[in-house]
Amino acid sequence: MLLPILLLSAAGFTVLTTEFIIVGLLPSIARDLDVSVSQAGLLVTLFAFTVAAFGPFLTAYFARFERRRLFISVLIMFGLANTLAAMAPNIGVMAVARLIPALGLPVFWALASETAVDIVGPDYAGRAIAKIGFGIVCATVFGIPVGTLISDAFGWRTAFGILAVIAFAKALLLFIYLPKTNLHNQQVSFRSQFKILRSPLMQGHVLLSILVFSGMFTAYTYLADILERLAGFNGTVVGWCLMGFGAVGLIGNSLGGRMVDRHPLIASMVFCGFMIGGMVALVPSIHSTLGLAAAMGIWGVTQAALFLVSHVRLMKAAPQAPAFAASLNIAGANLGIGLGAMVGGHVIDTLGLGSLGFAAAGFILVSIVLALLLMKVKAPAVCA
């Protein structure tokens, strides 16, 4: 059953690259569409808030559908949306192109994660999702930076056009090679899934995801801009820096997958603690090659790890409805991404780029305190 997981991992690469490729393209998009970088950053907020608002409802509804057909449909939708983005004449059309895939991302990611866990069993959930998460890390390692390099050489529209072709190709691969899967014979009802939100523990876990991702994306949304304006790098060098940032995420993905199976909240606190160090050290080290590499390396490892840890943490907190719990993490994470992009844009306009790391670290510090509090909350009994 390794092949279905690898196919879903490959599809996940396309899905997550579609969401985050814009991080490396923001300066180019802003110039071409005649808006400021902070205004272009609202495209990140739009995508994230759409996922947060509709993700749990769409996941709960589509959980009853046959997986193969559903995953193929999502990839086709992503291909069409990226085609529209490549042709967008203004920021309004670009916003529509970002809105469409935001509806499909939580459905794909939550149900693909559930499918992987069903294959290997809940005791190895972290390692199974780490395999799916490998596609996410590759999106950071290759998708975002290669998109930046393509944008620098041929324009940002070409980057979206190539991503559209890849999405259609992945849909074809799933059609040919992915077997029909419907592993959950007894689906939890729509109403029962939403009942888990009554638990203070679940509410705390969702809030933790919001805080963690708010911190990450307060600074990460504008990382390309930091490297361009503060470090003085051109688009090509920025692309290679982002590739290095993502490459070390392979380490974080592996570490996160192992640590989260032992203790999800401790794993969250450990990686959050190291992330604060990387974020705060980035700007002071901006003109030191070794210092900048170290700061970005620590940040890159912890960011990739926290993507995985946050996801598995919610699924383990609600084993009776893992896909819905995963969708809650996705919703909370994207709400955090949207808030982070907004806060980061405001920090840039008022305090400057150099203050982003400290603002981001504030969110992460609060998340560590919340994780400590959640460790003292007893999980509710699971009803049969």
Side-chain angles (χ1 to χ4, degrees):
M1 295 298 291
L2 181 62
L3 179 60
I5 295 179
L6 294 178
L7 288 171
L8 292 175
S9 178
F13 168 86
T14 305
V15 169
L16 268 295
T17 299
T18 295
E19 179 173 12
F20 295 128
I21 190 173
I22 198 169
V23 168
L25 309 183
L26 276 182
S28 299
I29 292 173
R31 287 190 293 266
D32 192 39
L33 299 183
D34 196 25
V35 296
S36 68
V37 171
S38 57
Q39 287 173 324
L42 292 176
L43 293 171
V44 178
T45 298
L46 172 67
F47 194 109
F49 281 0
T50 301
V51 173
F54 297 101
F57 300 97
L58 291 172
T59 300
Y61 178 77
F62 283 104
R64 71 192 73 182
F65 285 72
E66 195 273 317
R67 299 292 190 261
R68 176 172 173 266
R69 183 180 301 174
L70 181 64
F71 295 151
I72 291 170
S73 299
V74 168
L75 283 171
I76 291 174
M77 182 172 69
F78 270 68
L80 294 173
N82 286 322
T83 301
L84 180 61
M87 300 185 296
N90 53 55
I91 195 70
V93 175
M94 190 67 184
V96 174
R98 300 297 293 166
L99 178 67
I100 295 170
L103 298 172
L105 181 142
V107 175
F108 177 89
W109 181 217
L111 295 179
S113 301
E114 180 194 60
T115 301
V117 174
D118 282 336
I119 291 171
V120 303
D123 290 340
Y124 297 96
R127 298 179 195 185
I129 297 175
K131 290 183 174 64
I132 301 292
F134 182 75
I136 298 172
V137 177
C138 285
T140 308
V141 176
F142 300 111
I144 297 171
V146 169
T148 305
L149 294 172
I150 291 172
S151 172
D152 188 57
F154 305 105
W156 62 269
R157 297 180 187 278
T158 303
F160 277 108
I162 293 174
L163 190 55
V165 172
I166 293 174
F168 290 130
K170 296 285 178 64
L172 180 61
L173 287 174
L174 290 182
F175 177 77
I176 296 173
Y177 295 109
L178 185 67
K180 289 187 177 182
T181 54
N182 195 2
L183 298 173
H184 270 215
N185 295 322
Q186 294 181 332
Q187 288 290 347
V188 180
S189 70
F190 190 92
R191 181 179 297 179
S192 296
Q193 293 181 71
F194 276 90
K195 283 183 179 179
I196 68 174
L197 273 173
R198 296 178 183 176
S199 164
L201 182 63
M202 284 300 299
Q203 295 168 10
H205 275 288
V206 174
L207 178 58
L208 180 55
S209 290
I210 294 172
L211 290 170
V212 168
F213 281 83
S214 293
M216 280 198 272
F217 281 83
T218 291
Y220 183 65
T221 301
Y222 304 98
L223 180 55
D225 200 32
I226 291 173
L227 295 173
E228 279 194 13
R229 288 205 276 160
L230 297 187
F233 297 157
N234 61 32
T236 300
V237 176
V238 170
W240 286 111
C241 286
L242 292 177
M243 186 173 292
F245 183 94
V248 297
L250 293 170
I251 301 172
N253 188 63
S254 177
L255 291 175
R258 294 180 180 278
M259 287 185 67
V260 74
D261 278 334
R262 297 190 185 111
H263 201 301
L265 287 170
I266 290 178
S268 294
M269 289 187 292
V270 169
F271 289 118
C272 281
F274 280 102
M275 175 175 279
I276 290 175
M279 284 180 163
V280 170
L282 182 70
V283 172
S285 306
I286 201 76
H287 296 299
S288 166
T289 302
L290 183 60
L292 180 60
M296 289 189 65
I298 293 170
W299 185 1
V301 168
T302 55
Q303 179 148 313
L306 284 168
F307 265 97
L308 176 65
V309 168
S310 297
H311 200 69
V312 178
R313 174 172 50 78
L314 264 291
M315 294 182 75
K316 285 180 174 289
Q320 70 273 35
F324 183 68
S327 75
L328 291 176
N329 174 66
I330 295 167
N334 278 273
L335 181 57
I337 290 170
L339 287 171
M342 291 178 66
V343 170
H346 181 69
V347 170
I348 290 172
D349 292 339
T350 56
L351 301 175
L353 276 171
S355 300
L356 281 177
F358 293 97
F363 280 109
I364 303 299
L365 185 60
V366 175
S367 73
I368 293 175
V369 175
L370 177 58
L372 283 169
L373 294 175
L374 288 175
M375 289 179 66
K376 299 179 181 180
V377 179
K378 292 183 179 180
V382 178
C383 297

